[in-house]
Amino acid sequence: MEIREMVMIGLMLLVLILAVLGVAAAMVKRKRAAELQSNVIYLPKKRTSSKNSDITTKRNQKCSRCNQAKKLVFYSNDFGHVAGLCKNCRKDIGDKQELYPI
């Protein structure tokens, strides 16, 4: 084998390797673009992505009646209206409305 033939074989292998890498890069790019367009949030990724995410931190929510940030229990009425109420508001409403815990 001459040097010229060895160089040609090396160049062909190099072109083949670059083509395979290009196809792999295109597939990864297409997959990432599809993930960005999707509205689905994968929870394991979200938990590890940031320590201060909404999933990992416990926050009190605002009561539907008094708008104070407290621990809530969610209730539904006969019409399907859902409300998050704190203990005080639930006691105030009492027998006025029939609420079902969710």
Side-chain angles (χ1 to χ4, degrees):
M1 265 189 172
E2 289 183 24
I3 293 177
R4 188 176 201 187
E5 291 175 2
M6 291 175 65
V7 169
M8 290 299 284
I9 290 173
L11 288 175
M12 289 173 52
L13 286 174
L14 182 64
V15 168
L16 181 66
I17 291 170
L18 289 175
V20 169
L21 289 175
V23 169
M27 290 175 60
V28 168
K29 185 177 180 181
R30 185 180 304 164
K31 184 177 178 183
R32 284 187 183 163
E35 286 179 359
L36 290 175
Q37 291 176 353
S38 174
N39 288 335
V40 177
I41 297 174
Y42 295 98
L43 293 179
K45 289 183 182 178
K46 182 68 176 174
R47 284 188 187 117
T48 58
S49 66
S50 67
K51 293 180 182 177
N52 295 328
S53 68
D54 292 336
I55 296 170
T56 58
T57 58
K58 283 190 174 183
R59 290 191 308 183
N60 291 330
Q61 295 174 325
K62 290 188 176 182
C63 177
S64 297
R65 189 159 182 246
C66 65
N67 280 338
Q68 292 181 358
K70 295 181 180 179
K71 186 175 179 183
L72 303 181
V73 178
F74 291 90
Y75 295 96
S76 175
N77 63 7
D78 291 331
F79 303 109
H81 175 74
V82 177
L85 300 173
C86 62
K87 288 182 182 181
N88 295 335
C89 291
R90 175 63 177 131
K91 288 178 187 176
D92 292 343
I93 290 175
D95 297 328
K96 296 176 189 174
Q97 293 183 10
E98 191 170 336
L99 298 175
Y100 307 103
I102 296 180

